[in-house]
Amino acid sequence: MAECKISCQCGTLTGVLHDVSPKSGSRAICYCKDCQAFARYLGSAELLEESGGTDIYQTLPSKVTFETGQEHLACLRLSPKGLLRWYASCCDTPLGNTLSSPRVRMVGVLTKCISDPEALGPVQAMVNTSGASGEPVEETGRRQVIFAFLKRQIGAMLRRDHQTPFFDTSGALVVTPKVLTKEERQAATP
């Protein structure tokens, strides 16, 4: 298994993605309007694929370690109960997303922030394709990615793998998320 560097666009926030392989994570392209709004709100629409997709590597949070610039780790939510969407505040680079509880051991890291996307393996799924722009995209691999997610969850629970750079040991978020107003969200939604 390989290690890959993680970095924001300006190089201030850096880290490592450990134990990278197609078996330790799932690679999917998500075309949902929320993923697109996240990138657009931060002024990073150029990180989206041609049809508006976000290439994500879904793995365990314990596989992510930040090395420099962690004070620039920031979080936003598109709605009060939405996904936690992590970014580097130094240059507004989207980094990934997690659910709101550390008990669900999942992080989706944007592959555009990973030094060697080829180490992640091929894209295994195209999801939420109704949000794609331009040419229609066929939905594929959803069940495979969900099964892999559940398998990683069970394995992490059995190993008592609780480490995460996004929550502290009490289960509280390491930063307070900014919640977008309805107007901000509407302005960023394609």
Side-chain angles (χ1 to χ4, degrees):
M1 292 192 199
E3 287 192 347
C4 292
K5 294 286 184 185
I6 303 170
S7 178
C8 65
Q9 290 179 320
C10 74
T12 300
L13 179 59
T14 65
V16 176
L17 187 58
H18 303 277
D19 302 327
V20 174
S21 79
K23 289 186 178 184
S24 65
S26 300
R27 190 169 176 187
I29 298 180
C30 180
Y31 293 90
C32 79
K33 297 292 185 186
D34 286 352
C35 283
Q36 293 176 52
F38 176 44
R40 289 170 50 116
Y41 176 78
L42 295 174
S44 296
E46 74 279 359
L47 296 179
L48 299 171
E49 301 293 318
E50 188 175 309
S51 295
T54 303
D55 191 344
I56 297 171
Y57 180 70
Q58 192 179 81
T59 191
L60 297 169
S62 61
K63 305 283 185 193
V64 177
T65 305
F66 292 110
E67 295 179 326
T68 64
Q70 192 165 357
E71 67 274 13
H72 296 286
L73 182 64
C75 183
L76 67 83
R77 292 179 121 162
L78 299 176
S79 65
K81 295 191 185 252
L83 279 177
L84 298 170
R85 296 180 182 274
W86 300 90
Y87 67 100
S89 64
C90 48
C91 58
D92 287 344
T93 300
L95 299 171
N97 58 62
T98 64
L99 296 175
S100 58
S101 171
R103 289 187 208 144
V104 181
R105 296 158 182 95
M106 184 279 298
V107 61
V109 181
L110 274 70
T111 61
K112 300 275 186 171
C113 301
I114 299 172
S115 63
D116 183 12
E118 297 304 314
L120 309 173
V123 172
Q124 297 165 307
M126 308 283 248
V127 297
N128 303 313
T129 57
S130 62
S133 58
E135 292 292 316
V137 178
E138 182 181 343
E139 180 120 348
T140 61
R142 181 181 291 272
R143 286 186 184 159
Q144 177 185 357
V145 170
I146 291 171
F147 178 74
F149 164 75
L150 293 172
K151 186 176 172 182
R152 281 191 301 276
Q153 290 301 298
I154 292 167
M157 288 168 53
L158 293 173
R159 290 188 309 277
R160 298 183 190 268
D161 178 356
H162 300 291
Q163 293 197 314
T164 172
F166 307 105
F167 296 88
D168 66 21
T169 55
S170 74
L173 290 166
V174 295
V175 297
T176 301
K178 171 186 174 40
V179 179
L180 298 189
T181 65
K182 286 183 182 180
E183 295 77 21
E184 288 172 320
R185 182 177 179 169
Q186 286 174 345
T189 301

